[in-house]
C-alpha cells in the first residue's frame, strides 16, 4: 500500500518554531512529525508516530532476545508504594502529584521500580521462579523545571524500563551484562554514535551504574574520556587526590592585610604585591575559597553547607546536585543568609567559622585536593584580611570531602590512563545494579534452596524511546532537513511527481505501487504543487531515497537521489524498481 502525500495528515512549515533551541526540535516540528501541546509536552503526528514505533520495535526485539517479557503498568499510580521507598518525598518537585475525588493521593509515574517489585512479590515465592526479567514501553511523567529542546527534555516522554530479579549478586551481574549487551545492539541498530560511561545512580540508588550517551555537541551531559579507555559522566568523575603531606616544618599560620581582595583574582594580585613568595608568584590554586549554599530538603527542612575548594576551580552545579540528590533544592547564599550568621564576612570567609562544631554550625566539606598537610591562603573572617600558610589537618579539620569541583580538560583520569578530554552527549540509556533497596522496602522475598526467606536483588535498565527519535534526528540531519536511516524512516522511498503531465503521475504511481508490492514503504508526492516546493519538502521530511519522475521520463529515465549523501543518478524507468528493491 502506498501513501499519498496529498492525503497524509501533515503540514510542513517554512518558519522555525519560536521556542526551538536545537535542530531536532526545529525540524521535527517543521516537518510535521510532532506538534507542541504545552511546554515539554508533544503530540505525535503520523510521520513521527511511525518513527517512534520503529524505535519501539527494535527495543522489543532485542529485549525479547535476552528473554525479557513485556508487561504494561498504568501511568496513574497510588502513593503508598512510593511512600514505602521514600520517593514520594525524595523526588521533590519533579513528581506530578494529584488527588482523586475522595482525597486519595496519586502520582503520574516517573519510573516504576515499586510497581514491578510488588508485581513479582504478588506472584513469585521461590528461587525456582528466578531469574526473571520484565520490561514495559510506556509514557512517563516528570515535572521538569526547564523543559527544553523538544523531545530531548520533556515533561511527558516514552521510556522502556526493564527490571531483573535474581537470588544473588552473581545472578544480578549476569542479568546486568545481558542488558548491557542488548543495549549495545539496540543503539547499533539505531545508527547512533554513542559512548558507554560510568555514571552515578542518583535518586535510583544502587551500586554499579552506566550511561549510554549519544555523542552530540548539543547534548546537556558532559562526559570525559582518556586515551587509555576511561569514560565517565562528569558527575561520576573522582579526583586523584594528592598524598597527605608532612607539615612538621610548615610555618605558623599568619594573618595579613589584603585590602580590596574579596575575589580570587584580586586576592592573588594583592598577595603577590604585599606578601610575595620567594620561589614563584602566588596563583589561584594556592587559595582556598569557601562557597556557601542553602539546601532545602524534600520534607521542607533547610540546611547550610559550605564547600571549600582550590581557588582556581568552580563548583559544578550538576555535580553538586548529583551528590546531594534530586530531592534537595540548592541555592547560593543570599544577603539574608549572611545576615543570619554575623561571623561570616562576605568575601573573606575562612575555615575557622565553618564546620558542624563551629559557632555557625555550618557543615563544611572540602575538595579531595585539600589533603592533610596542604597549605592555603584563605579568608581570615575579617574585612580586608587573609590568613596565609593555613595547614589542613593542623589549623582546621573539615567535616568531610565532597566531589563537586569542575572537571577540566587535561585533568588526570582517576585510573591513571592519561589526561581527560571533555565532550558532550545526550543520555539515551541508563543501567543500574539496584541491589536490594526496593526489594527490602517492599518486602520482596523468596524461599531459597534451603527453604530460607531471602530478599531478591534487582537491576533497573532504562532507554529513552521518544528521546531516541530526537537523538537520531539531531545527529543525522543537515541544513536542509531530516535524514533518517532506513531502519527508522517512515518510508524508505519518497516518489516525487515533478511535472504536471498525466503521464508523469501515472508512471510515478506505477513505480510506487511496484515498490510497495515488493514490501517497500513508499510515500508518493502527488500534490498539485511546484517542483521546488516538493523538492524542499522531500529534503525536509528526510526519507532515505527520493525518486523524481520529471522531464527525464521523455528519455526513459527517472532521477534517484540519496538523501543522506546527496548523490544523484539517472536510472532507466524499467530498472528503477529492481535497483531499489534489490
Amino acid at each position: 500500500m502506498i501513501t499519498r502525500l496529498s492525503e497524509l495528515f501533515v503540514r510542513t512549515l517554512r518558519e522555525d518554531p519560536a521556542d526551538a533551541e536545537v535542530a531536532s526540535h526545529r525540524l521535527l516540528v517543521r516537518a510535521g512529525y510532532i506538534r507542541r501541546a504545552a511546554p515539554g509536552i508533544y503530540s505525535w503526528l503520523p510521520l513521527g508516530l511511525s518513527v517512534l514505533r520503529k524505535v519501539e520495535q527494535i527495543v522489543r526485539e532485542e529485549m525479547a532476545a535476552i528473554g525479557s517479557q513485556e508487561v504494561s503498568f498504568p501511568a496513574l499510580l497510588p502513593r503508598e508504594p512510593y511512600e514505602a521507598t521514600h520517593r514520594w518525598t525524595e523526588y521533590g518537585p519533579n513528581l506530578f502529584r494529584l488527588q482523586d475525588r475522595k482525597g486519595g493521593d496519586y502520582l503520574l509515574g516517573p519510573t516504576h521500580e515499586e510497581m514491578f517489585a510488588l508485581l513479582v512479590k504478588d506472584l513469585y515465592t521461590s528461587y525456582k521462579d528466578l531469574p526473571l526479567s520484565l520490561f514495559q514501553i510506556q509514557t512517563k511523567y516528570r515535572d521538569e523545571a526547564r523543559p527544553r529542546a523538544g523531545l530531548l527534555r520533556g515533561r511527558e516522554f516514552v521510556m522502556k524500563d526493564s527490571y531483573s530479579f535474581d537470588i544473588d549478586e552473581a545472578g544480578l551481574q549476569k542479568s546486568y551484562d545481558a542488558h548491557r549487551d542488548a543495549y549495545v545492539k539496540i543503539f547499533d541498530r539505531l545508527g547512533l554514535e554513542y559512548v558507554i560511561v560510568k555514571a552515578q545512580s542518583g535518586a535510583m540508588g544502587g551500586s554499579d551504574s552506566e550511561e549510554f550517551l549519544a555523542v552530540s555537541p548539543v547534548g546537556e551531559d558532559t562526559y570525559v574520556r582518556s586515551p587509555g579507555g576511561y569514560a565517565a559522566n562528569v558527575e561520576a568523575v573522582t579526583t586523584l587526590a594528592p598524598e597527605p603531606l608532612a607539615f612538621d616544618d610548615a610555618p605558623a599560620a599568619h594573618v595579613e592585610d589584603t585590602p580590596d581582595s574579596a575575589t580570587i583574582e584580586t586576592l592573588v594580585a594583592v598577595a603577590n604585591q604585599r606578601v610575595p613568595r620567594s620561589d614563584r608568584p602566588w596563583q589561584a590554586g594556592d587559595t582556598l575559597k569557601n562557597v556557601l549554599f542553602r539546601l532545602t530538603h524534600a520534607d521542607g527542612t533547610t540546611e547550610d553547607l559550605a564547600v571549600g575548594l582550590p581557588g582556581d576551580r568552580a563548583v559544578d552545579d550538576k555535580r553538586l546536585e548529583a551528590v546531594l540528590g534530586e530531592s534537595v533544592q540548592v541555592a547560593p547564599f543570599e544577603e539574608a543568609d549572611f545576615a543570619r550568621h554575623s561571623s561570616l564576612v562576605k568575601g573573606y570567609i575562612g575555615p575557622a567559622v565553618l564546620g558542624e562544631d563551629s559557632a555557625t554550625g555550618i557543615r563544611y566539606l572540602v575538595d579531595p585536593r585539600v589533603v592533610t598537610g596542604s597549605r592555603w591562603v584563605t579568608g581570615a573572617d575579617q574585612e580586608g584580611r587573609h590568613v596565609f600558610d593555613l595547614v589542613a589537618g593542623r589549623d582546621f579539620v573539615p567535616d568531610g570531602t565532597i566531589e563537586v569541583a569542575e572537571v577540566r580538560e587535561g585533568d588526570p583520569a582517576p585510573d591513571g590512563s592519561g589526561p581527560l578530554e571533555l565532550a558532550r552527549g545526550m543520555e539515551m540509556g541508563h543501567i543500574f545494579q539496584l541491589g536490594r533497596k526496593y526489594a527490602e522496602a517492599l518486602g520482596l522475598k523468596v524461599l531459597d534452596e534451603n527453604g530460607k526467606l531471602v530478599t531478591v536483588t534487582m537491576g533497573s535498565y532504562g532507554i529513552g524511546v521518544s528521546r531516541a527519535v530526537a537523538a537520531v534526528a539531531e545527529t543525522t540531519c543537515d541544513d536542509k532537513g531530516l535524514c533518517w536511516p532506513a531502519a527508522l524512516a517512515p518510508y524508505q522511498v519518497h516518489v516525487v511527481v515533478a511535472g504536471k503531465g498525466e503521464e508523469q503521475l501515472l508512471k510515478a504511481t506505477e513505480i510506487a505501487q511496484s515498490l510497495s508490492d515488493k514490501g517497500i514503504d513508499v510515500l508518493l508526492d502527488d500534490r498539485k504543487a511546484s517542483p521546488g516546493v516538493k523538492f524542499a519538502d522531500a529534503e525536509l521530511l528526510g526519507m532515505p531515497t527520493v525518486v523524481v519522475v520529471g522531464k527525464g521520463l521523455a528519455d526513459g529515465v527517472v532521477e534517484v537521489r540519496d538523501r543522506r549523501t546527496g548523490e544523484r543518478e539517472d536510472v532507466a524507468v524499467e530498472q528503477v524498481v529492481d535497483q531499489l528493491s534489490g
Side-chain angles (χ1 to χ4, degrees):
M1 180 177 177
I2 62 175
T3 299
R4 296 176 181 270
L5 195 49
S6 62
E7 300 172 353
L8 183 64
F9 185 62
V10 64
R11 180 76 69 224
T12 59
L13 307 175
R14 295 293 168 243
E15 299 296 327
D16 293 336
D19 60 338
E21 301 176 28
V22 296
S24 58
H25 184 191
R26 182 176 73 251
L27 294 173
L28 287 169
V29 172
R30 282 187 51 206
Y33 282 69
I34 61 173
R35 293 290 289 177
R36 180 182 182 273
I41 304 173
Y42 291 85
S43 301
W44 292 85
L45 279 63
L47 289 174
L49 195 59
S50 175
V51 179
L52 180 68
R53 294 291 180 251
K54 291 186 177 185
V55 174
E56 291 178 354
Q57 185 59 30
I58 289 173
V59 172
R60 282 192 171 93
E61 290 172 2
E62 296 301 338
M63 294 307 298
I66 62 170
S68 192
Q69 302 174 63
E70 185 171 6
V71 297
S72 181
F73 285 97
L76 182 63
L77 303 171
R79 171 177 178 165
E80 288 75 18
Y82 290 82
E83 280 277 19
T85 60
H86 307 294
R87 293 208 293 180
W88 177 261
T89 54
E90 286 180 357
Y91 251 109
N94 285 345
L95 199 65
F96 280 103
R97 299 173 176 83
L98 63 155
Q99 289 186 332
D100 66 9
R101 66 182 65 194
K102 298 179 180 179
D105 287 320
Y106 290 83
L107 68 147
L108 294 178
T111 183
H112 280 69
E113 282 78 9
E114 287 83 353
M115 304 309 295
F116 274 86
L118 288 174
L119 179 64
V120 176
K121 176 185 177 181
D122 188 39
L123 297 177
Y124 277 4
T125 58
S126 170
Y127 76 98
K128 296 179 181 179
D129 298 321
L130 306 179
L132 172 68
S133 175
L134 301 173
F135 79 97
Q136 68 171 344
I137 296 176
Q138 193 233 37
T139 302
K140 310 286 189 183
Y141 301 87
R142 293 178 190 171
D143 192 4
E144 294 282 352
R146 295 174 298 276
R148 57 176 293 274
L151 301 177
L152 290 175
R153 179 60 69 181
R155 296 195 293 169
E156 176 183 286
F157 54 95
V158 180
M159 179 178 170
K160 186 284 301 180
D161 52 333
S162 56
Y163 302 86
S164 61
F165 302 85
D166 289 277
I167 197 71
D168 54 26
E169 281 71 18
L172 171 58
Q173 187 63 55
K174 186 176 180 180
S175 296
Y176 184 90
D177 292 342
H179 276 83
R180 193 180 194 275
D181 291 343
Y183 274 37
V184 168
K185 293 176 181 177
I186 288 168
F187 292 117
D188 283 347
R189 290 180 63 181
L190 292 177
L192 286 169
E193 179 188 358
Y194 65 93
V195 293
I196 306 173
V197 302
K198 180 177 176 60
Q200 284 198 336
S201 298
M204 296 288 286
S207 54
D208 286 353
S209 172
E210 292 176 290
E211 286 180 349
F212 288 70
L213 301 178
V215 178
S216 170
V218 303
E220 60 182 20
D221 288 294
T222 301
Y223 69 93
V224 298
R225 52 193 173 192
S226 73
Y230 176 83
N233 189 303
V234 71
E235 289 96 320
V237 176
T238 54
T239 303
L240 272 178
E243 292 294 323
L245 302 170
F247 53 83
D248 295 341
D249 59 348
H254 50 102
V255 175
E256 304 288 348
D257 289 330
T258 52
D260 301 321
S261 58
T263 68
I264 296 299
E265 182 179 11
T266 55
L267 171 59
V268 170
V270 171
N272 280 317
Q273 180 184 14
R274 301 176 68 97
V275 194
R277 292 177 60 140
S278 60
D279 54 344
R280 61 170 175 80
W282 291 106
Q283 300 173 355
D286 299 318
T287 69
L288 177 65
K289 66 180 177 183
N290 299 296
V291 186
L292 287 95
F293 298 94
R294 184 71 166 166
L295 312 182
T296 303
H297 298 276
D299 61 2
T301 59
T302 59
E303 174 190 6
D304 295 333
L305 172 67
V307 176
L309 69 165
D312 62 344
R313 302 270 172 168
V315 173
D316 184 318
D317 291 341
K318 291 194 70 173
R319 279 166 63 83
L320 179 61
E321 291 171 2
V323 169
L324 297 176
E326 292 182 355
S327 62
V328 179
Q329 297 182 53
V330 183
F333 253 42
E334 298 179 349
E335 292 301 329
D337 299 307
F338 283 103
R340 290 187 291 105
H341 298 285
S342 59
S343 57
L344 296 179
V345 181
K346 190 175 180 182
Y348 298 91
I349 300 169
V353 296
L354 301 174
E356 293 177 342
D357 295 330
S358 70
T360 64
I362 297 175
R363 186 160 56 116
Y364 185 42
L365 304 178
V366 298
D367 183 84
R369 299 173 185 85
V370 186
V371 296
T372 297
S374 57
R375 294 157 57 181
W376 303 94
V377 179
T378 190
D381 307 306
Q382 303 172 45
E383 184 76 27
R385 307 194 81 192
H386 282 83
V387 57
F388 288 68
D389 292 313
L390 194 75
V391 176
R394 183 192 72 179
D395 302 318
F396 71 97
V397 178
D399 297 317
T401 60
I402 188 170
E403 289 271 14
V404 296
E406 61 181 342
V407 178
R408 290 181 179 169
E409 192 97 9
D411 282 349
D415 63 354
S417 57
L420 295 177
E421 171 192 350
L422 272 65
R424 305 287 293 177
M426 297 177 281
E427 182 185 346
M428 292 292 102
H430 204 159
I431 56 179
F432 305 85
Q433 291 190 21
L434 287 180
R436 295 180 171 84
K437 172 181 177 180
Y438 296 93
E440 287 178 347
L442 298 166
L444 174 54
K445 301 176 184 289
V446 297
L447 294 172
D448 66 10
E449 56 186 0
N450 299 315
K452 180 182 177 182
L453 272 177
V454 295
T455 303
V456 171
T457 185
M458 294 173 59
S460 175
Y461 318 91
I463 287 179
V465 176
S466 53
R467 178 179 284 194
V469 174
V472 174
E474 186 72 41
T475 56
T476 59
C477 69
D478 59 21
D479 58 352
K480 297 177 181 177
L482 301 166
C483 299
W484 296 111
L488 299 183
Y491 302 93
Q492 276 63 57
V493 179
H494 185 161
V495 179
V496 175
V497 182
K500 298 180 180 179
E502 186 68 22
E503 181 183 1
Q504 292 166 331
L505 176 59
L506 290 173
K507 181 54 68 176
T509 304
E510 179 185 325
I511 292 171
Q513 188 61 58
S514 297
L515 289 169
S516 179
D517 291 343
K518 291 182 176 290
I520 296 174
D521 293 326
V522 182
L523 178 64
L524 173 63
D525 190 348
D526 60 339
R527 297 175 298 170
K528 297 183 182 301
S530 70
V533 169
K534 292 184 177 182
F535 292 151
D537 280 347
E539 291 173 329
L540 178 61
L541 296 176
M543 310 312 160
T545 302
V546 179
V547 176
V548 180
V549 182
K551 295 179 180 179
L553 186 61
D555 300 320
V557 298
V558 294
E559 183 182 78
V560 177
R561 302 179 179 182
D562 187 313
R563 176 65 185 90
R564 303 192 75 179
T565 66
E567 295 178 356
R568 305 181 182 190
E569 66 171 325
D570 288 336
V571 179
V573 172
E574 63 272 13
Q575 297 176 359
V576 67
V577 172
D578 290 338
Q579 178 171 318
L580 295 179
S581 61

